[in-house]
Amino acid sequence: SICGFAYARFKLSSVFTVADTLIFTCSIMFWWIQEYFFHRVLLHSPFAWIGKSIHQNHHDKTYFHVSVDPPALLLGWLFAAHLILKSILPWGLCLSATIGYAGAGLAYEWSHYIVHTKVKPTRIESSTNPVVATLSKYYSSMRDNHIRHHRIDDGNWFAFSVPAMDDAFYTNPRVEEMSRRVSQRPRVEK
């Protein structure tokens, strides 16, 4: 678990070096990039495989449903990532990278669960606390982006943790234009 990796890292040394900070940050950024491409390229791929069918089942459900990956998948993914990091990085940096990667993964799982509930964040952009205002705006953007992916067109809006990635990879069309295009498509029975 993340706590076990954190315990091992701080037992090794309580000093978090510049290298640790850099590798921690890079592993979070790597999560965001692989999350986007895994979703776009593999989970919406033209070929059939188990991951695509599980993801299609997720799309076939009503939008508001409990959406949590099973613990075996989460832990298996985390330990596979940790073993890869362990094979290429010194132990201390491996632990820092694993903590960042696992933290980003946990944030994704929690956020994905929340956006599939009827919890609608109150937009508090006018809050006197700039952190609260920024987080509120960010979460609302994440939720809106994911709703578009499910309800308007699953061929766009693949980004989750960082909705701006859809701008970078040209998968963030104007909602009005996409809605019009989708409404003009012939209906296909599943």
Side-chain angles (χ1 to χ4, degrees), residues 73-106:
L73 174 64
L74 298 174
L75 292 173
W77 187 278
L78 170 62
F79 285 112
H82 174 68
L83 291 175
I84 292 167
L85 292 167
K86 187 177 177 185
S87 72
I88 59 175
L89 293 171
W91 183 237
L93 293 178
C94 165
L95 290 170
S96 297
T98 300
I99 294 164
Y101 186 84
L106 183 63

Side-chain angles (χ1 to χ4, degrees), residues 21-39 42 77-78 80-82 84-85 88-89 96-105 108 161-162 165 169:
T21 305
L22 185 62
I23 200 80
F24 175 84
T25 304
C26 286
S27 67
I28 292 170
M29 292 169 67
F30 178 78
W31 171 272
W32 296 337
I33 293 166
Q34 61 103 51
E35 170 195 295
Y36 177 88
F37 283 103
F38 190 82
H39 187 197
L42 295 177
W77 187 278
L78 170 62
H82 174 68
I84 292 167
L85 292 167
I88 59 175
L89 293 171
S96 297
T98 300
I99 294 164
Y101 186 84
Y108 164 84
S161 296
V162 182
M165 289 184 68
F169 296 108

Side-chain angles (χ1 to χ4, degrees), residues 36 145 156-160 162-172:
Y36 177 88
N145 205 56
N156 284 294
W157 301 292
F158 296 103
F160 187 80
V162 182
M165 289 184 68
D166 280 317
D167 292 322
F169 296 108
Y170 306 104
T171 52
N172 186 20

Side-chain angles (χ1 to χ4, degrees), residues 49-125:
W49 69 288
I50 186 74
K52 180 180 178 175
S53 63
I54 291 169
H55 190 67
Q56 186 59 53
N57 184 39
H58 168 71
H59 274 268
D60 290 344
K61 293 179 180 176
T62 62
Y63 182 80
F64 297 111
H65 69 279
V66 175
S67 181
V68 179
D69 288 324
L73 174 64
L74 298 174
L75 292 173
W77 187 278
L78 170 62
F79 285 112
H82 174 68
L83 291 175
I84 292 167
L85 292 167
K86 187 177 177 185
S87 72
I88 59 175
L89 293 171
W91 183 237
L93 293 178
C94 165
L95 290 170
S96 297
T98 300
I99 294 164
Y101 186 84
L106 183 63
Y108 164 84
E109 277 299 320
W110 175 247
S111 299
H112 191 252
Y113 167 75
I114 291 295
V115 301
H116 277 283
T117 68
K118 292 185 179 181
V119 173
K120 187 166 182 175
T122 305
R123 293 192 186 247
I124 335 174
E125 286 102 358

